[in-house]
Amino acid sequence: MQKRGEEREFGKRGQITLFVIIAIIIVAIVILIYMFYPKIATMIGITPKSPQVSIQDCMEDELGKIVEQLSLQGGSLNSSNYYAYEGNKLEYLCYTEEFYKQCVMQQPMLKQHIEGEISGAIREKSKECFGKMKSDYERAGYDVNLQQKNMTVELLPKRIIINFNYPLTLTKGASKRYDHIDVILKNNLYEMVIIATSILNWEARYGDAETTAYMNYYPELKVEKKKQTDGTTVYILTERDTKNKFQFASRSMAWPAGL
Amino acid sequence: MRNKKDGILSKIKVEQITNRKIMLAILIMAISILTSISLISSVSLSYCCEKTTDGAWCQNTQLEKCNPAFSKAPTSCDATSYCKMGCCLDMKGENAEGTCMENTPQKVCENSEGVWADNAKCEVPQCSLGCCLMSEQAAFVTQSRCKRLSSLYGLETNFRIDIADEVSCIVSARADVRGACVFEKEFEKTCKMTTQKECQDMGALLTSNSSSAVKFYEGFLCSAESLGTNCGPSEKTTCVEGKDEVYFLDTCGNLANIYDASKIKDKNYWREIIQKSDSCGAGSGNENSATCGSCDYFLGSTCKKYKAGEDKVKPNYGDNICRDLSCKWKGKTYSHGETWCEGEGTSKITPESVPENGAEGAVLGNPKADNLPGTRYFRLVCYDGEVTLEPCADFRQEICIQDELNGFKAAACRVNRWQDCLAQDDELDCGNTDKRDCKWIALKGSIAGIDAEEACIPKYAPGLDFYTIVGSTAAVAPQPFQGTQAQQSVQANAPAQMVQGQGSAESICGTANVQCIVEYEKGLTGGEKCKKNCECETDVWKNKMNNLCSFLGDCGVGMNYKGIAGSLGGVEVKIEKGVDEGE
């Protein structure tokens, strides 16, 4: 009997210990949730990501693809005056149809032209991304006020910045306002475009450009010049580390076969 | 060509049209016809299209290529107002890049929101260049560009118009004074390598938050014992963006002096900044050195993370080494920055293949191996351990020239000035290397003893358009068979396919047409015996004539760039019977 009583006593103690452990675990979980709620909520989709992160994540891949295509096509997505080279339509940035003549500049404001091309190409995607962000916040119980004003694209050293001047106010109890949202893509397109403009000036004046001069000044860059049979010259600028390219065509001081 | 009649029973007519006078006549005819054709076509077809249907701006082209929505006029673009060339300045607005673009039509510039100036070569004050000094960097650019660069990098504009050339400008760039910036952090005396200005800024920030003093020690390293900081020497090294050398790091992660394994325990080397010129291996690239990190890009090395397969030795300390940037090409090693010439495929199209004197019998290049149809010159470039091929202009309209100084090769593609070789009738004019790339060859005696004289031919045979088939007859008809007395004629003509050539192949190759009159004497008992120019019936003669043909361009029996002989024969040898003089 005594043994049975002892066994009962041990069972009760065990139960109590178990309950205490469970209680401690529950308290710990509650504390953890309290401490890391925003992150956990975002992870499981209760709270949307911050507007900046949401738009950056949504647009980054598409922007990268557009910039890559532009870079491989001399800065235009749909050029009609191009040279077909290894599956890419390289825009003639300086061009003459004649022989023995210097080329005529076709894109004198190349940087601005590329900014315009990027701006046009990402418009639809940006609408989609802002729409998605808005609906995510609304689903999470926020009152969303988004004014879609204007968007600017800027090529800068080592990066491309898309500035959405879209004032956004999120209200859920308290209000939070964002004046603008920026999407940043790390890229050296700016540097390559500036070098391309220098090459183009040489093409327009002398019908040729010396590649090694650029490689001496910019060791991180490989500059290739490929003269084609019809007198077109293809220039390929490659960043040695990332292998990012900017390539374009020029036709200047072309020579015909024979006389 | 002077035919000699001396009462011989039978003759074979040998007519050599390479005779200079006839050659000149043909050339003049050819040029006149070609010029007339081009003039006629230009008069009837050339319009200045403001924009073509292909989307190109301001092109002189055919009317049908003009975009109807834009202006056009039957004149050259130089004479129109809508295609006036000028300079397009990117100097509008606060984000203007400050660049000047030459040879830009006004409309193209203004449509892109540029500022147009009436000077196609951009010789306007806004585009004049000066030296833009930006801390350790310098750029020879316009003033607006300098402003833009300075604003992009958060620096004050320092534009110097008194520095008039790029080299002086780059030399003028001076690094800011650097040193050890000592301060207290978390009750510990620590240090950061920085400039004096940055240290002052840091001091202002720190003293507003705490009472700790910040002190700058010019020229000192943070690892200097005398500073008493928690930073000391370490075995770690690093590469720095924009610099060539391998640097030591101290225990706080600050840059120290250039990596020198022999001085890792030398307290003096860890005390003050030592200039590169006073460091190990100064004046050398120190590529693949396990002990010295004084790399130099212009001397063929740069700092890179050590890679077992790529670098020959492992650095004694740290993970970085002066990577050798030289290249391997066809078993030879070329230095970083070297450029050299090379042909393609089986051809050896280098200037060296043409001997200096084209004396009789000399092999003037090898027409079966050099300047073959389809070949072109190439310049090869060794940079950063990689060889890139730069083709010179096609049709050998450019040649590759090469020179060497102390074993360092430098090459360039330059224009092949062969065009007026055939018009030269004087050896001095022909050999005037300031004006043309021609070669004077003596033919006398080389063609079956006939009094053919000399000729001026291209030193580097150009490529010709012999393949465009237009189905028309040639611009210049082959020379008619001459000689009423000949029984037989051996005639070496331009390749048959050239008759269909659209380009100038036929007229150029046609100048190498040759006729040789071979004279026979009838024997008293019948039969014939060759008396004169008998060589013309031999293969040796035919080969000689073919070689002459090949020197003019893509003429004669040739091989393609892969070394495969042409299937059409290239040279046609006609043997025609002349008139028996005795009859």
Side-chain angles (χ1 to χ4, degrees):
Chain A
M1 278 297 284
Q2 199 183 349
K3 204 176 179 183
R4 250 186 199 178
E6 278 175 5
E7 277 175 1
R8 232 179 253 156
E9 193 64 24
F10 276 123
K12 273 183 187 176
R13 277 185 195 170
Q15 270 185 333
I16 289 163
T17 312
L18 189 66
F19 288 145
V20 168
I21 290 167
I22 289 169
I24 289 167
I25 289 170
I26 289 169
V27 169
I29 288 170
V30 169
I31 291 167
L32 281 173
I33 288 173
Y34 179 76
M35 283 173 69
F36 299 104
Y37 175 72
K39 278 185 187 171
I40 294 166
T42 306
M43 275 168 68
I44 59 173
I46 299 168
T47 306
K49 297 171 192 168
S50 79
Q52 178 71 48
V53 174
S54 167
I55 299 298
Q56 176 83 30
D57 288 354
C58 180
M59 293 198 64
E60 206 168 20
D61 285 352
E62 180 75 5
L63 180 62
K65 280 180 199 162
I66 290 165
V67 169
E68 190 187 352
Q69 197 186 346
L70 276 169
S71 302
L72 293 175
Q73 297 189 164
S76 291
L77 291 171
N78 289 305
S79 171
S80 51
N81 189 29
Y82 62 83
Y83 181 82
Y85 181 76
E86 292 183 352
N88 292 303
K89 294 175 177 179
L90 273 63
E91 187 180 13
Y92 281 109
L93 299 181
C94 197
Y95 181 77
T96 180
E97 213 174 278
E98 297 166 275
F99 290 110
Y100 316 113
K101 286 269 182 82
Q102 282 104 334
C103 59
V104 175
M105 205 63 78
Q106 304 290 311
Q107 290 291 358
M109 310 281 275
L110 183 59
K111 192 199 84 150
Q112 288 84 340
H113 171 73
I114 293 172
E115 287 170 347
E117 289 282 288
I118 296 173
S119 179
I122 59 162
R123 202 165 294 278
E124 281 307 309
K125 185 70 183 175
S126 70
K127 275 183 194 166
E128 182 193 316
C129 291
F130 275 93
K132 185 178 174 295
M133 180 196 72
K134 195 179 172 197
S135 60
D136 284 351
Y137 272 101
E138 282 170 346
R139 249 200 323 270
Y142 284 86
D143 185 15
V144 182
N145 181 9
L146 179 69
Q147 298 170 56
Q148 301 196 9
K149 287 186 176 174
N150 62 319
M151 172 186 72
T152 55
V153 177
E154 203 174 2
L155 260 63
L156 291 169
K158 298 187 194 305
R159 65 201 188 277
I160 297 167
I161 297 181
I162 321 285
N163 178 270
F164 293 97
N165 184 16
Y166 291 3
L168 169 72
T169 310
L170 299 172
T171 312
K172 191 177 178 185
S175 284
K176 195 163 186 187
R177 184 182 158 84
Y178 300 85
D179 288 330
H180 60 89
I181 292 166
D182 292 340
V183 174
I184 299 167
L185 183 78
K186 284 184 183 172
N187 190 289
N188 275 9
L189 185 56
Y190 175 85
E191 287 84 348
M192 293 206 258
V193 165
I194 294 297
I195 292 164
T197 58
S198 169
I199 291 173
L200 289 167
N201 267 335
W202 277 82
E203 280 279 319
R205 185 175 280 203
Y206 304 108
D208 204 354
E210 176 53 51
T211 53
T212 55
Y214 292 98
M215 289 195 278
N216 282 336
Y217 280 120
Y218 308 98
E220 68 284 358
L221 205 68
K222 181 166 83 173
V223 183
E224 292 170 274
K225 181 171 70 176
K226 311 276 183 195
K227 288 193 178 177
Q228 308 296 310
T229 298
D230 70 339
T232 297
T233 307
V234 169
Y235 286 94
I236 306 168
L237 315 181
T238 312
E239 214 187 339
R240 290 191 191 272
D241 287 345
T242 62
K243 306 291 175 203
N244 282 343
K245 281 183 181 189
F246 181 77
Q247 51 186 26
F248 61 95
S250 168
R251 191 175 190 275
S252 189
M253 291 298 291
W255 295 84
L259 281 171
Chain B
M1 179 72 226
R2 290 185 286 276
N3 293 332
K4 292 177 182 175
K5 304 173 192 174
D6 34 20
I8 301 165
L9 287 174
S10 60
K11 277 185 188 168
I12 293 174
K13 185 178 176 190
V14 179
E15 207 174 306
Q16 186 191 340
I17 304 166
T18 44
N19 179 296
R20 213 170 45 251
K21 285 172 187 167
I22 297 171
M23 259 170 63
L24 266 175
I26 294 165
L27 189 77
I28 291 162
M29 252 170 66
I31 291 170
S32 327
I33 290 167
L34 286 170
T35 314
S36 327
I37 291 167
S38 66
L39 274 176
I40 291 162
S41 55
S42 66
V43 166
S44 59
L45 293 175
S46 187
Y47 269 71
C48 173
C49 306
E50 188 181 21
K51 196 168 189 182
T52 65
T53 48
D54 289 338
W57 290 94
C58 292
Q59 298 294 315
N60 291 312
T61 185
Q62 296 100 319
L63 176 63
E64 58 270 23
K65 283 193 173 180
C66 294
N67 186 329
F70 292 83
S71 303
K72 57 182 175 291
T75 183
S76 164
C77 286
D78 298 335
T80 63
S81 57
Y82 57 83
C83 273
K84 195 164 191 227
M85 295 297 155
C87 178
C88 192
L89 291 82
D90 182 1
M91 293 182 186
K92 207 193 270 181
E94 60 179 41
N95 289 342
E97 291 299 324
T99 53
C100 298
M101 298 303 281
E102 297 183 17
N103 226 26
T104 312
Q106 186 168 5
K107 194 170 181 181
V108 176
C109 180
E110 289 172 354
N111 282 356
S112 323
E113 299 191 354
V115 180
W116 189 80
D118 188 6
N119 189 311
K121 287 190 172 178
C122 289
E123 286 158 350
V124 291
Q126 300 96 308
C127 296
S128 56
L129 302 177
C131 188
C132 185
L133 296 165
M134 296 165 289
S135 186
E136 294 179 25
Q137 305 281 323
F140 198 60
V141 290
T142 66
Q143 189 163 11
S144 333
R145 179 81 190 131
C146 186
K147 279 182 189 165
R148 175 67 173 157
L149 286 171
S150 306
S151 77
L152 284 172
Y153 296 105
L155 301 164
E156 278 181 31
T157 307
N158 184 3
F159 186 69
R160 299 267 303 273
I161 46 169
D162 57 308
I163 301 172
D165 65 278
E166 195 158 14
V167 176
S168 315
C169 176
I170 289 159
V171 171
S172 309
R174 286 185 194 283
D176 289 339
V177 176
R178 292 182 77 84
C181 186
V182 179
F183 56 98
E184 219 169 85
K185 192 181 173 189
E186 291 167 1
F187 310 107
E188 204 172 18
K189 201 174 177 185
T190 188
C191 179
K192 192 181 174 191
M193 284 301 289
T194 179
T195 62
Q196 189 159 15
K197 191 179 176 300
E198 275 177 45
C199 188
Q200 281 165 355
D201 293 346
M202 201 160 73
L205 193 75
L206 284 173
T207 45
S208 63
N209 297 333
S210 70
S211 59
S212 67
V214 175
K215 200 168 179 191
F216 183 72
Y217 295 88
E218 187 181 322
F220 270 78
L221 294 170
C222 285
S223 49
E225 265 188 346
S226 54
L227 299 180
T229 68
N230 62 347
C231 307
S234 87
E235 293 185 355
K236 285 184 182 170
T237 62
T238 189
C239 296
V240 181
E241 196 186 336
K243 291 193 173 186
D244 301 340
E245 306 82 16
V246 183
Y247 286 90
F248 270 128
L249 283 174
D250 67 20
T251 51
C252 299
N254 292 302
L255 278 192
N257 283 319
I258 289 172
Y259 164 64
D260 181 348
S262 67
K263 294 191 172 166
I264 196 154
K265 296 201 189 309
D266 183 345
K267 285 180 184 173
N268 289 333
Y269 198 66
W270 288 89
R271 192 176 64 214
E272 285 180 42
I273 296 172
I274 291 169
Q275 295 305 310
K276 186 177 180 180
S277 52
D278 300 323
S279 302
C280 60
S284 150
N286 298 297
E287 53 273 13
N288 290 316
S289 168
T291 56
C292 182
S294 186
C295 328
D296 192 312
Y297 188 71
F298 289 105
L299 295 175
S301 71
T302 195
C303 176
K304 292 275 175 186
K305 198 166 179 66
Y306 168 75
K307 275 187 192 167
E310 218 163 318
D311 300 300
K312 286 178 186 163
V313 290
K314 192 177 185 306
N316 291 357
Y317 301 100
D319 301 325
N320 300 288
I321 194 163
C322 290
R323 169 86 41 87
D324 182 4
L325 300 177
S326 64
C327 313
K328 285 260 188 300
W329 180 258
K330 292 186 177 173
K332 282 185 185 171
T333 304
Y334 292 90
S335 301
H336 164 73
E338 258 191 305
T339 53
W340 66 100
C341 297
E342 193 156 311
E344 187 192 57
T346 57
S347 61
K348 294 179 288 174
I349 42 180
T350 56
E352 289 80 6
S353 64
V354 180
E356 275 313 302
N357 57 65
E360 183 190 345
V363 181
L364 196 78
N366 181 357
K368 287 185 179 151
D370 301 333
N371 295 319
L372 300 177
T375 57
R376 57 158 70 176
Y377 288 78
F378 283 85
R379 181 173 86 142
L380 284 90
V381 180
C382 167
Y383 260 80
D384 243 45
E386 199 180 340
V387 175
T388 48
L389 261 78
E390 275 186 9
C392 300
D394 208 354
F395 304 106
R396 299 183 298 282
Q397 294 288 19
E398 276 185 343
I399 55 163
C400 183
I401 53 168
Q402 180 181 306
D403 206 348
E404 200 172 318
L405 184 67
N406 299 329
F408 189 90
K409 292 185 181 70
C413 292
R414 76 143 169 84
V415 173
N416 180 6
R417 300 161 305 168
W418 64 273
Q419 292 79 2
D420 64 351
C421 290
L422 300 178
Q424 305 309 311
D425 58 0
D426 179 75
E427 188 173 0
L428 279 175
D429 287 339
C430 179
N432 185 348
T433 51
D434 290 338
K435 286 190 171 175
R436 53 189 69 89
D437 298 310
C438 307
K439 202 81 191 169
W440 188 255
I441 57 165
L443 295 176
K444 197 161 187 170
S446 65
I447 305 177
I450 299 169
D451 53 352
E453 296 161 20
E454 294 109 342
C456 185
I457 59 160
K459 195 171 177 182
Y460 313 99
L464 304 173
D465 180 3
F466 57 83
Y467 46 80
T468 308
I469 297 169
V470 290
S472 61
T473 51
V476 180
Q479 289 299 298
F481 171 66
Q482 292 174 17
T484 52
Q485 302 155 334
Q487 273 186 328
Q488 290 176 310
S489 165
V490 180
Q491 188 170 9
N493 266 345
Q497 70 268 37
M498 288 183 190
V499 177
Q500 294 179 311
Q502 186 187 39
S504 47
E506 192 194 344
S507 60
I508 293 163
C509 297
T511 58
N513 286 352
V514 168
Q515 278 192 334
C516 176
I517 298 168
V518 184
E519 293 177 5
Y520 281 83
E521 193 176 71
K522 273 187 179 169
L524 286 170
T525 54
E528 288 176 346
K529 191 181 174 189
C530 183
K531 291 294 286 181
K532 199 172 180 184
N533 298 332
C534 306
E535 306 95 302
C536 293
E537 290 189 304
T538 64
D539 285 344
V540 175
W541 181 83
K542 288 173 200 168
N543 283 336
K544 272 186 180 175
M545 293 306 101
N546 181 50
N547 286 354
L548 174 71
C549 208
S550 301
F551 293 138
L552 300 182
D554 287 344
C555 309
V557 178
M559 293 191 199
N560 68 8
Y561 72 100
K562 285 188 167 178
I564 300 164
S567 59
L568 291 174
V571 164
E572 191 183 354
V573 180
K574 285 182 186 169
I575 302 175
E576 294 180 26
K577 202 170 181 182
V579 180
D580 190 336
E581 215 171 49
E583 287 170 0

